[in-house]
Amino acid sequence: MITVNRYRCGYCGACVGACPQNAIDLIETFIEIDSNCNNCSICTKVCPMGALELVKDEE
Amino acid sequence: MKSEYDVIVVGGGPAGSLAARTAAQQGLEVLLIEKRQEIGDPVRCAEGVGKVGLAEYMDPDPNWICADIKKARIFSPDGTMIDISEKMAGNEVGYVLERKIFDRAVAKTAARAGAEVQVKTQATGLILEDGVVTGIRGKQRGNDFEARAKVVVGADGVESKVGRWAGINTTLKLKDVETCAQFLMTDIDIVPDSCDFYLGSKYAPGGYVWVFPKGKREANVGMGMLGSHYKGKHPIQYIRDFADWKFPEGKILETVVGAVPVSGMLPRLSTGGLVLVGDAGHVSDPITGGGIINGMASGRIAGHVIAECIKGGDVSAKALSKYDRLAREELGKSLDKNYKIKEVVTRVSDNTMNVVAHSLQGVEFENFTIPKLVKEIVTRNPGVIKELAGLI
């Protein structure tokens, strides 16, 4: 899954515009990722702050 | 807030405000919503704007002008400087704005023209009937609402979710997005009337570093890199490194991050009951990333077309495609051309940039045109023709 480091995030919306699933929403200072996310991790590459990370789901 | 309008504009940046203002001036009932609690903040911009373009839309006001720019200087990767006078420097030379105040001033002109403005009000979806957009679903301070409109304007910036809800693919590919980070730095030595650009893979792979003055010893110091050039280092780290090198004594007053579409204009900007303006329609310049003027231009065109369509009682995809046509006429040609140039220059090696910069030493840039410049580069550097072939 994709995790957001809220302490690092600059809430700019770059990830929202690049998400092919339209799975990300930015509300004020909060990034929310919904169940349409398929872990493609494009958002982690476009984030200016490096606040997004793909972490392995726990089995 | 009412439950029905002629036009609902989603996003209170300059593009949305111009659409709202133009539509309101035509006598339409307009709602302009901004999801943030303040219009203009937080800033996602280097704030440089061309004087000529700006004057089309706003009378210059010292309240939102930080610096008057006379020239540009471009530094190649090895530090070779190309000095460009105002006549040659083009749209990126003019003013450096205070967007926090500027965006409010533009929104105010929409409000004065009669548009209703609501902040902390987010669109969460569209109301669609038979494939035609007839309104929005939204949230205001935590409460859900629905509002109908004959036409919805997506002015939601780089996020561009409104278009996607209506079936327009606005998703930015990594090769078509500049991801950016900027510090507002103070107590630094700069040339206060020059916008400086630094090229090269060390500080800005597939992009550039900018130093845009906001005062005598203050500037926006930022960088943008192509998303496809990401190799484990994010913009915030690149600009930290640049600032440490160039302005080690500088103090940081603000951190700004964001992303800019550099895809060129979307193939389709409208559908039944919906148009996209500004960054949401990818009208920002693929080379410079500048989007304020193009955004306002698209907003104004949209406002006029919407008014015409609503008065004519036809807001179908076919009727609103007049906006596509006019926007493409006014902006499309240079965006297409600059997209092609961007596709080449983002691949040019540091070495070639240095060679070209060296060859241009002593060239008088006054009264220079881009074709003349390209010819000059090719004449002086027959060896780089292959790499630059796509430019010509």
Side-chain angles (χ1 to χ4, degrees), chain B residues 46-82:
Chain B
E47 304 181 298
V49 72
K51 283 182 194 177
V52 178
L54 180 71
E56 284 275 314
Y57 304 96
M58 290 290 285
D59 294 326
D61 181 340
N63 283 319
W64 40 256
I65 293 172
C66 292
D68 196 336
I69 302 302
K70 298 269 184 260
K71 62 176 184 172
R73 302 186 306 167
I74 301 171
F75 295 87
S76 77
D78 70 1
T80 307
M81 184 179 79
I82 302 168

Side-chain angles (χ1 to χ4, degrees), chain B residues 193-275:
Chain B
D193 66 350
S194 173
C195 278
D196 291 350
F197 300 83
Y198 294 80
L199 305 176
S201 56
K202 186 174 181 190
Y203 293 119
Y208 61 85
V209 173
W210 60 84
V211 177
F212 288 1
K214 291 195 78 172
K216 281 203 169 75
R217 295 184 54 75
E218 209 159 291
N220 285 333
V221 179
M223 69 77 67
M225 65 181 282
L226 221 46
S228 51
H229 284 44
Y230 171 76
K231 288 191 182 68
K233 188 170 170 181
H234 296 279
I236 192 71
Q237 296 157 315
Y238 279 104
I239 200 58
R240 179 73 268 174
D241 289 349
F242 178 85
D244 284 346
W245 166 67
K246 186 72 189 166
F247 304 117
E249 306 299 320
K251 287 96 178 172
I252 296 166
L253 299 180
E254 185 179 11
T255 300
V256 172
V257 282
V260 185
V262 288
S263 63
M265 191 185 284
L266 285 175
R268 188 165 144 229
L269 292 172
S270 64
T271 182
L274 180 106
V275 303

Side-chain angles (χ1 to χ4, degrees), chain A residues 8-30 34 41-52, chain B residues 35-38 42 44 120 122-124 158-161 164-165 170-174 177-181 227 230 234-237 255 257-259:
Chain A
R8 189 176 288 173
C9 173
Y11 39 94
C12 69
C15 53
V16 180
C19 175
Q21 297 294 312
N22 205 8
I24 310 182
D25 200 10
L26 165 66
I27 306 114
E28 295 284 356
T29 60
F30 266 76
D34 69 29
S41 74
I42 281 175
C43 55
T44 66
K45 296 175 181 146
V46 81
C47 175
M49 301 294 265
L52 294 155
Chain B
K35 74 174 170 181
R36 308 273 192 184
Q37 46 195 9
E38 315 178 36
R44 272 83 186 78
K120 213 168 173 66
Q122 183 187 12
T124 55
V158 69
E159 296 174 36
S160 201
K161 286 175 78 91
R164 282 184 269 180
W165 292 330
T170 65
T171 304
L172 279 162
K173 297 189 182 95
L174 283 173
V177 58
E178 288 281 336
T179 170
C180 308
Y230 171 76
H234 296 279
I236 192 71
Q237 296 157 315
T255 300
V257 282

Side-chain angles (χ1 to χ4, degrees), chain B residues 299-315:
Chain B
R300 177 182 280 174
I301 298 167
H304 283 300
V305 173
I306 290 165
E308 200 181 305
C309 290
I310 288 178
K311 283 172 187 167
D314 183 2
V315 296

Side-chain angles (χ1 to χ4, degrees), chain B residues 267-388:
Chain B
R268 188 165 144 229
L269 292 172
S270 64
T271 182
L274 180 106
V275 303
L276 301 179
V277 299
D279 280 8
H282 300 183
V283 303
S284 41
D285 187 285
I287 299 179
T288 63
I292 301 170
I293 304 299
N294 284 359
M296 291 197 291
S298 66
R300 177 182 280 174
I301 298 167
H304 283 300
V305 173
I306 290 165
E308 200 181 305
C309 290
I310 288 178
K311 283 172 187 167
D314 183 2
V315 296
S316 65
K318 187 162 178 274
L320 285 170
S321 71
K322 185 176 181 185
Y323 164 61
D324 272 77
R325 205 167 64 243
L326 295 179
R328 211 157 294 282
E329 259 172 43
E330 186 166 332
L331 307 169
K333 202 178 157 197
S334 81
L335 291 174
D336 288 350
K337 185 188 72 189
N338 288 357
Y339 182 75
K340 284 183 193 142
I341 296 176
K342 169 220 132 189
E343 286 291 286
V344 176
V345 294
T346 53
R347 293 192 192 108
V348 169
S349 66
D350 284 5
N351 184 49
T352 300
M353 286 188 223
N354 288 330
V355 169
V356 169
H358 294 166
S359 77
L360 292 174
Q361 291 302 291
V363 173
E364 181 54 63
F365 279 102
E366 203 147 333
N367 303 320
F368 238 78
T369 60
I370 294 287
K372 268 167 85 178
L373 176 66
V374 172
K375 197 177 163 214
E376 193 75 21
I377 291 172
V378 173
T379 313
R380 287 161 182 259
N381 305 280
V384 302
I385 288 177
K386 207 178 163 194
E387 198 168 346
L388 298 174

